[in-house]
Amino acid sequence: MFSSVRYAAFCRVFLSTFGALLVSVGFACLPAQAFDLNDVVIQAKQLAASGYQPTPKIPESLTQIDQSTYGRIAFKQSAQLWQSSRFNILPIAAGYMYQRPVELYEVTPQSVAPIVFDKGQFDWPSPSFAQSVPANLGFAGFSVDYPLSGQDAKDLMLTFLGGAQFGVVAANQVEGAHARGVAIDTGLPQGEQFPMFTKFWLVRPDPADHHLVIYALLDGQSLTGAYEFVIRPDGDRVNVHVTANLFPRNKIDRVGLAPLSTMYFYGQIGQRPAGQWRPAAFESDGLLMHMGEGNWVYRSLLNPSTLRVNQFDADGIRGFGFMQRQKRFCYFEDVISRFEDRPSLWVTTEAGFGKGKIVLVQIPTNSDLHENQIAFFQPSDLVDADHPLAFAYTLSVGDSSVADEPLAVVRRPLIGTVKVNADDKTDKAYRVNLDFSGGQLARLAPGSPVIAQIDTEGTANVLEQAVVPLPDPGHWRLSMLLSPVGRAEVHIDATLAIGKKILSETWRYELPADVSRFGLIK
């Protein structure tokens, strides 16, 4: 345990060595405790100076079990760490695809103690299965329960499981889109790297605490990292404040900060794949970006036929995240997956998000089992062993209101193709209908002079456009007819306004130059 004198001295020495790095994320010495972010930074920096050595794998027999069998392994509620706390920690056993164990520690003001794996604290699929489990198997990660829906409830709120991934849900939601600690070379030809959190330190909360602090050490082929997560449930949302320091081992072509991943199979735009009975299948329907100065951009998601990477200039971006705006069961009709109850994830940027771009990577998928959409902030600055990174942000999880967007939003796009000339069998155009609601639209009279601002960057001619109120109060529709020009992909930016006053976010999308290719399922 640090004495207050030793701790103050440690802070002075530490900040003199790493001050430039940590001051940039608003770091300040915390009240004295046995362990904090300083200690993780020291470990990460030391680890980066050595060659990468992955954690040894568990016995092969336990990697061969199927998902159903693995799902029947459960930590006993009676063995929870903190009986008097609102936060219930449930360690998860290694196995199945989670083949490299992680280390867990409990932090109190007096000590840092390892949480030792005890197979007796788990329920196993069968007695014979339990006998085959090594006494030192280890943990794959852990989950955190919290009474989100009521004082006596034990609701899943947070899960750290697999690589650098973590999942958060708010009250009355089911797990959906995920966050990651970092993304490395995502969408590049050389292939993505997947560093992992190898150690976690769980700070025991006081019984009256409504927040939980977790520290984590990241290790991977190209970098190491030190993380602090401060989790604060707040009504219908959960806020996770993240402070991170990354120490590269070598030059990295693409580093993604605050990465998010989600699944989009089909349903918003285009045809339903053959054999699919559900009207739609996706965890998120769009990527929302707050570019600053009232500029909000919404990019509807798609399931591409080939790998697709979009980049959006984002110097000084205020926030970004995957939204799930479709909240009605009838939109999906899936009583098992409950896509309408999947969370929206929003990143509010703080330090470390200066010059750079938002990268959206979309991967083809033929099922709803894989997260095929990844978004992150890529800084413009060089990232190598001489240029470590420090950044901070808040991840907010809940319904689509977590972004606190003041403008009207796109509720759904409706896109089809039409003949421009009834006598011409080949001359076709896109009919694009966008339904908006919210913001100032909710207070406008039906006869208000709402107009559209449409920019196709010269890739299409706007043959028709009209903005009309819908029967639902506060809902308006922008309808436009777009005829592609040349062979370049059609780019669309569309916004509602009254005069020069912007009323809505900007809807951004791309369509094939060849209208006959729209909606093809491969």
Side-chain angles (χ1 to χ4, degrees):
M1 174 184 175
F2 284 128
S3 69
S4 58
V5 175
R6 284 185 62 202
Y7 186 77
F10 174 84
C11 283
R12 286 195 297 272
V13 173
F14 183 85
L15 289 176
S16 68
T17 305
F18 301 104
L21 178 63
L22 294 177
V23 167
S24 67
V25 296
F27 178 85
C29 286
L30 300 174
Q33 62 183 39
F35 190 93
D36 63 20
L37 182 59
N38 297 348
D39 301 277
V40 192
V41 168
I42 292 172
Q43 290 194 34
K45 195 168 189 297
Q46 292 174 342
L47 191 61
S50 61
Y52 173 58
Q53 294 183 346
T55 305
K57 291 184 178 182
I58 61 175
E60 185 176 358
S61 61
L62 289 169
T63 70
Q64 301 300 313
I65 63 176
D66 58 29
Q67 185 177 11
S68 176
T69 301
Y70 183 70
R72 297 202 301 273
I73 302 172
F75 190 74
K76 296 178 179 178
Q77 285 282 347
S78 59
Q80 65 176 302
L81 293 182
W82 304 318
Q83 297 290 340
S84 61
S85 171
R86 292 180 174 87
F87 299 92
N88 181 16
I89 303 294
L90 300 172
I92 301 171
Y96 181 46
M97 67 174 64
Y98 310 109
Q99 302 174 7
R100 300 187 187 276
V102 302
E103 298 177 27
L104 304 182
Y105 298 86
E106 181 186 27
V107 178
T108 69
Q110 294 78 32
S111 66
V112 178
I115 300 172
V116 180
F117 179 83
D118 180 354
K119 60 187 290 185
Q121 294 180 336
F122 288 85
D123 290 322
W124 303 95
S126 68
S128 60
F129 188 100
Q131 291 179 353
S132 69
V133 175
N136 63 345
L137 174 64
F139 304 111
F142 63 95
S143 63
V144 181
D145 288 352
Y146 185 86
L148 295 168
S149 59
Q151 184 174 357
D152 298 324
K154 291 185 177 180
D155 302 309
L156 175 66
M157 179 181 67
L158 173 70
T159 304
F160 280 94
L161 180 64
Q165 183 170 273
F166 59 101
V168 186
V169 293
N172 304 311
Q173 293 187 323
V174 297
E175 196 168 3
H178 288 81
R180 300 190 199 176
V182 69
I184 303 295
D185 290 345
T186 308
L188 293 181
Q190 62 262 39
E192 185 173 6
Q193 296 181 26
F194 295 95
M196 67 176 289
F197 291 121
T198 58
K199 296 181 181 181
F200 294 93
W201 293 266
L202 314 176
V203 181
R204 179 193 289 179
D206 292 332
D209 282 350
H210 290 267
H211 72 277
L212 175 66
V213 179
I214 298 170
Y215 302 109
L217 177 68
L218 182 84
D219 192 16
Q221 179 181 341
S222 293
L223 55 68
T224 66
Y227 287 75
E228 177 191 68
F229 302 93
V230 181
I231 301 98
R232 298 182 184 275
D234 182 15
D236 291 333
R237 68 174 66 183
V238 176
N239 296 317
V240 181
H241 187 266
V242 182
T243 305
N245 297 267
L246 301 179
F247 301 95
R249 288 187 164 99
N250 48 253
K251 182 179 180 297
I252 305 174
D253 292 331
R254 176 177 285 167
V255 174
L257 307 186
L260 308 173
S261 59
T262 191
M263 181 278 296
Y264 184 92
F265 184 17
Y266 68 92
Q268 279 278 95
I269 299 170
Q271 299 178 10
R272 184 188 307 179
Q276 292 293 329
W277 58 272
R278 298 168 296 188
F282 54 80
E283 293 180 332
S284 309
D285 51 17
L287 171 66
L288 178 63
M289 296 168 281
H290 183 194
M291 302 301 192
E293 301 301 327
N295 183 13
W296 294 76
V297 175
Y298 191 71
R299 168 57 158 80
S300 292
L301 298 181
L302 60 85
N303 181 7
S305 57
T306 60
L307 177 70
R308 183 183 185 92
V309 179
N310 289 94
Q311 301 183 16
F312 310 99
D313 291 337
D315 291 356
I317 189 166
R318 307 286 181 83
F320 65 95
F322 284 127
M323 298 291 107
Q324 176 59 303
R325 290 176 172 171
Q326 304 304 332
K327 307 304 295 181
R328 294 181 298 170
F329 172 75
C330 63
Y331 199 94
F332 303 99
E333 295 289 353
D334 191 332
V335 73
I336 303 298
S337 298
R338 301 310 299 266
F339 293 119
E340 73 279 5
D341 291 334
R342 305 296 176 102
S344 294
L345 274 59
W346 180 252
V347 170
T348 301
T349 61
E350 298 174 19
F353 294 82
K355 291 185 177 181
K357 52 195 173 187
I358 296 296
V359 179
L360 173 62
V361 179
Q362 300 181 288
I363 304 168
T365 185
N366 58 5
S367 78
D368 62 5
L369 300 179
H370 309 291
E371 292 189 332
N372 63 325
Q373 313 279 323
I374 307 100
F376 49 83
F377 176 82
Q378 180 182 346
S380 297
D381 294 339
L382 177 69
V383 178
D384 60 18
D386 296 324
H387 297 85
L389 291 173
F391 58 98
Y393 63 93
T394 296
L395 173 70
S396 297
V397 179
D399 64 25
S400 58
S401 68
V402 293
D404 294 326
E405 181 181 1
L407 299 175
V409 304
V410 175
R411 290 302 176 187
R412 61 173 180 173
L414 300 168
I415 303 178
T417 63
V418 298
K419 293 181 180 180
V420 177
N421 187 330
D423 298 327
D424 192 328
K425 297 181 179 180
T426 60
D427 188 13
K428 289 186 177 181
Y430 290 107
R431 172 63 70 184
V432 180
N433 295 292
L434 301 176
D435 291 355
F436 292 83
S437 69
Q440 293 188 19
L441 286 184
R443 298 185 292 273
L444 293 181
S448 299
V450 181
I451 62 172
Q453 297 179 353
I454 303 170
D455 183 7
T456 66
E457 299 179 357
T459 61
N461 292 324
V462 182
L463 304 182
E464 296 176 7
Q465 61 172 298
V467 181
V468 296
L470 295 176
D472 292 335
H475 289 67
W476 292 69
R477 174 170 293 179
L478 164 58
S479 182
M480 47 188 161
L481 188 63
L482 305 178
S483 176
V485 175
R487 298 182 179 181
E489 189 175 53
V490 175
H491 292 260
I492 312 167
D493 275 11
T495 309
L496 296 187
I498 290 183
K500 295 183 178 180
K501 183 177 180 58
I502 300 298
L503 299 178
S504 76
E505 65 192 14
T506 297
W507 182 76
R508 180 168 294 171
Y509 203 68
E510 301 87 30
L511 291 166
D514 182 355
V515 178
S516 65
R517 295 184 58 82
F518 172 70
L520 291 180
I521 303 297
K522 293 189 176 182

